[in-house]
Structures are given as structure tokens and as C-alpha cells.
Amino acid sequence: MNSVETQHKKLKESLEYLSEHSAFYKRLFKTHNISISEINTVKDLQKIPFTTKEDLQAYTNDFICVPKNKLIDYVTTSGTSGKPLSLALTNADLDRLALNEYNSFITAGVTNNDIIQLMTTIDRRFMAGMAYFLGARKLGAGIIRVGNGIPELQWNTIDEIKPTVIICVPSFILKLVEYAEANNIDFKNSSVKKVICIGESIRNSDFTLNALGKKITQKWNLALHSTYASSEMATAFTECHSFKGGHLQPELIITEIVDDNGLPVNNGEAGELVITTLGVEGMPLLRFKTGDICISYNEACKCGNNSLRLGPVLGRKKQMIKYKGTSLYPNALYDVLENIEAVVNYQVEVNTNELDTDDIIINIGINEKAGNKTLEIADTFRAKLRVVPKLNFLTPEKVKQLLFPKDNRKPLLFIDKRN
């Protein structure tokens, strides 16, 4: 059975499961007079309305398809683009999560001969940390659950156990390098050769390394494998050794890329990613709008896995900024700032001005030794994006406080205060 046939078979199974067990989708099918017997292919999904994050937030319990005593693990989304969502998983869902990450490791060339150092948290209801642990266990690879932060502990562990792969937010690699350089650690000749990158983009839309990716590889010759995932989809898109986008796992998820009218875009065009989970027991989702703007690629991959691939996320749909006649996403601002050596950290804030248009304020932490870089930074924005946001220069310590309020596990790089 090929991947298309597999998806159609699993789609039918999922629709039957939802029509029997999901209060939310029973109601949706009835309200819109949808007969699931008429939904046989991925293309037929267009007959079904989208599910939104607002639906999931407002009717959380109606999405649960099993008795409460079958729910084993509870997770929340990171909440970087709004209020966190709560999700629940069954034992079968945890097995599926393990399979997902097992497949992802295989795609990235990780084997049972590797030792993986996990530099993300496995607590605080964080799905990714649990997924990586379960996937490594299924693969038979060693895994060291160090958690995030504390460069000294990370290096002590690397020196002691000699991991070959690390999993972390890519910007943290620069912290590891900074600590290594300050403490005469020969990081370039360490055991670590490969990184599974989570939570931040390291590539441009043409798959070249972006500013962050270049900064890392210029310092440390590592294979950087980009990943894309979310708690709602419980599935990861991971790069192979060709580094040309994250591979779809067709037995676990169906993807659609749609325009502002909800219609499919042409191949190679950007649109919002819509997902339908396959094989999820606790809280399966049907035509769920992720809010992420992506491009999918269907041409054959050099690695031999010819599944659809997703390129780097261009931005979140709700985060698109229209500023002085230019439309852009926060990632474009980040890329400019990452290329300026004097910038230590930053936070982008968008609000609505008195003319009811978007305003951008960037709080920038500047290296005190760099001197006055105001004009240089403004000129860089003008050259790269044709517009200059309002720049607010602060100490790196003050910007760090803005980035991590109440011990957030992810930095709040983007604050949207628009009407």
C-alpha cells in the first residue's frame, strides 16, 4: 500500500472514529449535513469546515474521545501566539508519539549507536521533551535528560558521557560556545556532531542557513537538522541529510496548504498549514488550522524518501505586519538583528497607532563595548527591509527580563498589542 492509499484508509478510520466518539465533530457533521461516507480522499476534506484554535480553546472537553480514566498524560502548548491550549493523551497516543520521534530520528540519521543529550525540559507539561525520550527509547539510542540551560552542566555531561547528538533550541548552542570559549573547552573536537533543532528557524525559505544558522556553523561545524512540530498535531517534520525541508510522515498526519479563502494553493506557493491527525485516540483533530504559513515541496528528495516536505515556517498568519506599505513577518526582523554583532538580544512589539495602522517597536539589548550603533542598525534595516522600525536601546539584562516573564520556557520574541 503506497502513502496515498495509506492516508485514505486511515482518513476513513479517523472519520468513523470521530463520528462515534467526538462530541465536537458529531455536532459539526450534523450542523453542516456532512455524510462521512462521501469523504474518501484528501481532496474530499474540502467539504468539511476548518477547526480553529478558538474552537479547541472554547470546547476542549468536547474534543476528548475517551473516558477520563484512559487519559494518561496531560500537556499544554507553549502559548507563544496566545493562551496555551491543554491537550490529553492516552497510552496509545504515547505509543504513537514514540513512533513519530523514532521516525524523525531515523530521518535525521540518528541510530541506536548514538547517545542523545536532551537540552529541553521534559517537565512542565511539555510534549516535545517526552516525545524525544520515548522516540530514543524506541530507537534504542542512549539519552541523557539534562534539561535546558546551565552551560556548565551541559559541558560536564558532554565531557563525561560523550553524546553524539544534542537536542536543543538552536540559539542555546551559541551560549554553549560562549561558555566553552570562556573556559578553554575544546568544543570543536567534542563528541557532538549533530543537532536536532527545536523551536527556532535555522533556514531561509530557499533552505540556505539564515543568520542564526550561519552564526552557529561558523563557530562549530555541526550538522543542523531543522524540525517543525506542534503539540496539537503530535507529529514532527524533520530534515534528512539533504536539508531541504521536513519530511511528512503520511501514516500519522494529512496536510493541506490553503490561501486566505481556505482554498488549496498551487504547489510551491505559501499558505496556511492545515492538519488532520491520523491514529490519535485521545483528542484527534480534523482540518485544524495551525496558523503557520508554510510552503510544501513534492519533488523527489535525494535521500530516497519521496514524501511531501515542508519548508521553514515563514511566520504565523496572525503575526503578519503591514508597516509603511511593506508586509513582513517577525522572522524577517529577527534575521536582520541576528546579523548585527553588537545586538545581544531583542524583543519585537507591534501595536496599532492613532492612524489605525501597525507600528513596530524593537527593544534591543546592545553590547556595551560596541559603542553607539543606532545609525548602523537603522541603516541595516533600511537596506534589508526598506523600512526602519522604532528602535529602543536597553541593557541586555533589561531585555532578558522582557523575554522571560514569569519563567516562560520559551522567550517571548514577539508581543502583539494590535487592536
Side-chain angles (χ1 to χ4, degrees):
M1 187 179 295
N2 62 36
S3 60
V4 173
E5 292 171 337
T6 297
Q7 285 205 322
H8 291 165
K9 178 178 180 293
K10 287 186 172 288
L11 174 60
K12 291 295 291 182
E13 292 171 354
S14 181
L15 289 168
E16 290 169 4
Y17 183 80
L18 290 169
S19 67
E20 184 176 351
H21 298 286
S22 172
F24 179 86
Y25 287 111
K26 281 183 188 178
R27 187 165 61 244
L28 182 142
F29 294 157
K30 183 177 181 180
T31 301
H32 295 274
N33 296 315
I34 294 169
S35 171
I36 62 169
S37 64
E38 297 176 358
I39 312 297
N40 298 301
T41 67
V42 173
K43 189 173 182 180
D44 292 337
L45 282 172
Q46 295 174 36
K47 301 173 184 178
I48 300 175
F50 297 112
T51 301
T52 66
K53 294 192 178 187
E54 290 75 20
D55 292 329
L56 194 51
Q57 190 73 62
Y59 307 105
T60 304
N61 289 336
D62 287 351
F63 282 89
I64 298 174
C65 294
V66 298
K68 194 170 184 179
N69 64 3
K70 286 197 69 175
L71 298 174
I72 302 300
D73 191 55
Y74 295 85
V75 301
T76 58
T77 62
S78 61
T80 50
S81 62
K83 187 177 177 182
L85 297 170
S86 293
L87 304 165
L89 293 82
T90 67
N91 257 327
D93 292 335
L94 291 176
D95 290 341
R96 178 187 176 280
L97 203 58
L99 174 63
N100 157 71
E101 218 54 67
Y102 168 88
N103 291 338
S104 295
F105 283 138
I106 294 294
T107 298
V110 182
T111 74
N112 60 1
N113 292 317
D114 283 299
I115 298 175
I116 304 164
Q117 186 155 323
L118 183 60
M119 298 183 180
T120 66
T121 183
I122 199 169
D123 60 358
R124 296 172 64 186
R125 298 173 65 184
F126 188 40
M127 179 184 278
M130 174 68 79
Y132 285 123
F133 175 77
L134 293 174
R137 184 170 180 264
K138 184 175 179 65
L139 181 64
I143 189 161
I144 320 164
R145 294 176 290 108
V146 182
N148 59 343
I150 321 178
E152 181 179 8
L153 176 58
Q154 305 291 356
W155 279 117
N156 288 343
T157 305
I158 292 170
D159 181 59
E160 177 189 356
I161 304 179
K162 305 293 190 296
T164 51
V165 180
I166 61 176
I167 301 172
C168 68
V169 175
S171 57
F172 184 63
I173 302 172
L174 296 175
K175 299 292 184 185
L176 290 175
V177 170
E178 182 182 349
Y179 182 89
E181 290 176 334
N183 291 274
N184 298 314
I185 296 172
D186 186 12
F187 64 93
K188 293 181 179 179
N189 290 308
S190 75
S191 58
V192 178
K193 305 301 177 188
K194 188 187 297 285
V195 186
I196 307 297
C197 298
I198 177 175
E200 292 175 342
S201 177
I202 55 168
R203 301 199 189 281
N204 299 308
S205 56
D206 63 356
F207 301 116
T208 57
L209 289 171
N210 63 14
L212 176 57
K214 287 178 181 176
K215 272 187 178 181
I216 294 168
T217 54
Q218 285 167 0
K219 287 282 189 178
W220 195 356
N221 184 25
L222 297 168
L224 303 180
H225 291 264
S226 185
T227 66
Y228 166 68
S230 72
S231 299
E232 296 95 329
M233 67 175 72
T235 312
F237 295 78
T238 303
E239 283 186 328
C240 65
H241 58 76
S242 296
F243 307 110
K244 296 291 185 181
H247 280 277
L248 171 78
Q249 300 189 48
E251 73 276 21
L252 299 182
I253 198 165
I254 291 171
T255 60
E256 303 171 72
I257 308 288
V258 302
D259 62 20
D260 289 342
N261 297 314
L263 300 174
V265 301
N266 294 322
N267 185 40
E269 290 184 358
E272 183 175 4
L273 176 66
V274 176
I275 59 97
T276 295
T277 57
L278 301 173
V280 172
E281 184 179 51
M283 296 179 69
L285 296 174
L286 179 62
R287 299 205 84 202
F288 178 75
K289 299 184 79 173
T290 65
D292 292 331
I293 304 300
C294 303
I295 299 174
S296 64
Y297 299 86
N298 295 309
E299 66 272 12
C301 183
K302 291 180 181 179
C303 75
N305 180 352
N306 293 326
S307 67
L308 173 147
R309 293 180 298 5
L310 288 183
V313 174
L314 303 178
R316 294 189 182 274
K317 186 175 181 179
K318 290 184 177 180
Q319 291 181 348
M320 189 177 76
I321 306 164
K322 294 184 177 180
Y323 185 65
K324 296 182 179 179
T326 299
S327 295
L328 50 85
Y329 290 101
N331 282 349
L333 301 169
Y334 304 160
D335 204 49
V336 171
L337 292 160
E338 291 286 351
N339 272 303
I340 301 173
E341 191 173 347
V343 174
V344 176
N345 50 15
Y346 53 86
Q347 183 184 68
V348 176
E349 180 181 309
V350 182
N351 53 50
T352 305
N353 60 29
E354 65 276 5
L355 300 176
D356 204 29
T357 59
D358 293 347
D359 257 356
I360 306 172
I361 300 172
I362 305 181
N363 296 309
I364 303 176
I366 290 289
N367 185 339
E368 294 177 359
K369 297 179 182 179
N372 189 346
K373 294 289 182 177
T374 305
L375 291 177
E376 179 185 326
I377 294 174
D379 286 344
T380 302
F381 272 106
R382 190 175 292 108
K384 297 284 187 180
L385 303 180
R386 303 193 305 278
V387 292
V388 182
K390 295 177 182 177
L391 306 176
N392 184 25
F393 294 96
L394 303 169
T395 65
E397 290 74 20
K398 178 61 179 176
V399 174
K400 185 177 180 180
Q401 292 173 14
L402 297 174
L403 287 169
F404 294 96
K406 300 179 182 178
D407 296 322
N408 274 43
R409 69 185 182 213
K410 284 186 178 180
L412 294 178
L413 286 175
F414 184 77
I415 305 294
D416 196 340
K417 295 184 177 179
R418 289 174 290 188
N419 296 336

Coordinates of all heavy atoms in Angstrom, one line a residue, residues 48 61 99 264 294 296 402:
I48 N -15.5 19.7 4.4 CA -15.6 19.9 5.9 C -15.0 21.2 6.4 O -13.9 21.6 5.9 CB -14.8 18.7 6.6 CG1 -15.4 17.4 6.2 CG2 -14.9 18.8 8.1 CD1 -14.6 16.2 6.7
N61 N -13.2 20.0 26.2 CA -13.7 18.7 26.7 C -14.5 18.0 25.6 O -14.5 16.7 25.6 CB -14.6 18.9 27.9 CG -13.7 19.2 29.1 OD1 -12.5 18.9 29.2 ND2 -14.4 19.9 30.1
L99 N 6.6 6.5 18.1 CA 6.8 6.1 16.7 C 7.1 7.4 15.9 O 8.0 7.4 15.0 CB 5.5 5.5 16.1 CG 5.5 5.2 14.6 CD1 6.6 4.2 14.3 CD2 4.2 4.7 14.1
P264 N -7.0 25.5 -1.7 CA -5.6 25.0 -1.8 C -4.8 25.9 -2.7 O -5.2 26.4 -3.7 CB -5.8 23.6 -2.5 CG -7.2 23.3 -2.3 CD -8.0 24.5 -2.2
C294 N 3.4 28.3 5.5 CA 4.5 27.3 5.0 C 4.4 27.2 3.5 O 3.4 27.6 2.9 CB 4.3 25.9 5.6 SG 4.3 25.9 7.4
S296 N 4.9 23.8 0.8 CA 5.2 22.4 0.7 C 5.9 22.1 -0.6 O 5.8 22.8 -1.6 CB 3.9 21.6 0.8 OG 3.1 21.9 -0.3
L402 N 12.3 41.2 29.8 CA 11.1 41.2 28.9 C 10.9 39.9 28.2 O 9.7 39.5 28.0 CB 11.3 42.4 27.9 CG 11.4 43.8 28.4 CD1 11.8 44.7 27.3 CD2 10.2 44.2 29.1

